[in-house]
Amino acid sequence: RPPRSTLMRSSAASDVYKRQVRGLWELRSAADEKGWGIFAIKNIRLSENDNKPVLLWRARAMPHDNTRDAHTIQRGLDEHVMMDLPGRLINHSCFANVGIVDNDLGAFDFYAIRDIDENDELTWDYSAAELEAASAFAECHCKHELCRGRVNGFAGDGDKIREQYTVGGEPYYARFLVRMSAKEES
C-alpha cells in the first residue's frame, strides 16, 4: 500500500475519506500495521435486506498495464486490474464479512455477506479473487480464529472459499474461479 501521507494528499483518497456510501461505512486508520481500513458506521443486517447480501459499493477498474502487483486483483486467468478507492483499501481476512461479484465496471461489487456490527472492519478474502497468492500477501496477519496462516489463493483454498463465500446458493467470489470450479466438477 502507498504510505498514508501519499493517500491523503491525493484528491481521490480525500474524497473517499470524506464519503460515506449509503451511510454504511467509512475509511479510517486500521489497527496494527494494516494501514487504512474500511469500517461499518452502523450495524449492517442481512435480515433488513430479505436475508440477502447487502451491496456496499461498486469498484471500478483503473487504467493499468495488466501487470500483477500487490495492489491489483485478478479478474481472469491472464487479467489483473487496479481497483479505484475504496476497493484497494479493504483488508484481508480468512473469514471475511464481505464477498465479491464481478461487475460491468471491470472490477467487483462488494457485498456484506454476514451481519456486521457498527465499528467492525469490513474485510474480504484475497483468495476469493486470486488463483495463486501474490508473494507480498503469502503470510496472513488477519488474526481471525479461523486464520489459515497463509493466503494461498483459490488453488490452495478453493474448497474453503466455495464453502465460506457461497450465500443462498450464489457465489460471492470471482467468476473466473466459479467457472474453473464448474469445470473441475464435470
Side-chain angles (χ1 to χ4, degrees), residues 127-131 154 173-182:
S127 293
E130 294 288 334
L131 182 58
F154 194 82
Y173 53 94
R175 291 301 181 254
F176 82 97
L177 299 172
V178 172
R179 289 189 295 274
M180 286 180 56
S181 295

Side-chain angles (χ1 to χ4, degrees), residues 24 39-56 93 95-99 111-123 144 164-165 167:
L24 297 176
F39 293 82
I41 58 172
K42 69 179 199 175
N43 293 333
I44 302 170
R45 299 289 180 249
L46 277 55
S47 62
E48 295 172 5
N49 193 43
D50 295 326
N51 290 317
K52 295 179 183 168
V54 177
L55 178 64
L56 299 169
S93 174
F95 194 76
N97 52 22
V98 173
Y111 285 85
I113 58 170
R114 306 181 207 302
D115 287 343
I116 301 171
D117 292 333
E118 181 178 356
N119 292 316
D120 281 356
E121 184 174 8
L122 306 180
T123 58
H144 191 279
Q164 292 175 347
Y165 306 110
V167 180

Side-chain angles (χ1 to χ4, degrees), residues 3-37:
R4 285 183 202 176
S5 58
T6 303
L7 282 171
M8 292 316 294
R9 276 186 289 219
S10 126
S11 64
S14 180
D15 290 346
V16 170
Y17 185 75
K18 295 173 189 170
R19 180 177 63 183
Q20 296 175 353
V21 174
R22 296 175 46 205
L24 297 176
W25 60 266
E26 69 182 4
L27 180 65
R28 61 173 102 133
S29 183
D32 303 323
E33 298 181 12
K34 289 182 179 180
W36 292 96

Side-chain angles (χ1 to χ4, degrees), residues 87-152:
R88 322 196 273 262
L89 298 178
I90 187 169
N91 290 311
H92 166 80
S93 174
C94 291
F95 194 76
N97 52 22
V98 173
I100 56 172
V101 174
D102 294 49
N103 68 26
D104 59 348
L105 304 173
F108 297 111
D109 291 340
F110 287 78
Y111 285 85
I113 58 170
R114 306 181 207 302
D115 287 343
I116 301 171
D117 292 333
E118 181 178 356
N119 292 316
D120 281 356
E121 184 174 8
L122 306 180
T123 58
W124 74 298
D125 193 325
Y126 294 167
S127 293
E130 294 288 334
L131 182 58
E132 297 176 354
S135 59
F137 294 108
E139 187 178 341
C140 181
H141 301 284
C142 76
K143 299 181 182 171
H144 191 279
E145 62 187 43
L146 297 175
C147 180
R148 297 185 292 269
R150 297 184 56 76
V151 180
N152 297 309

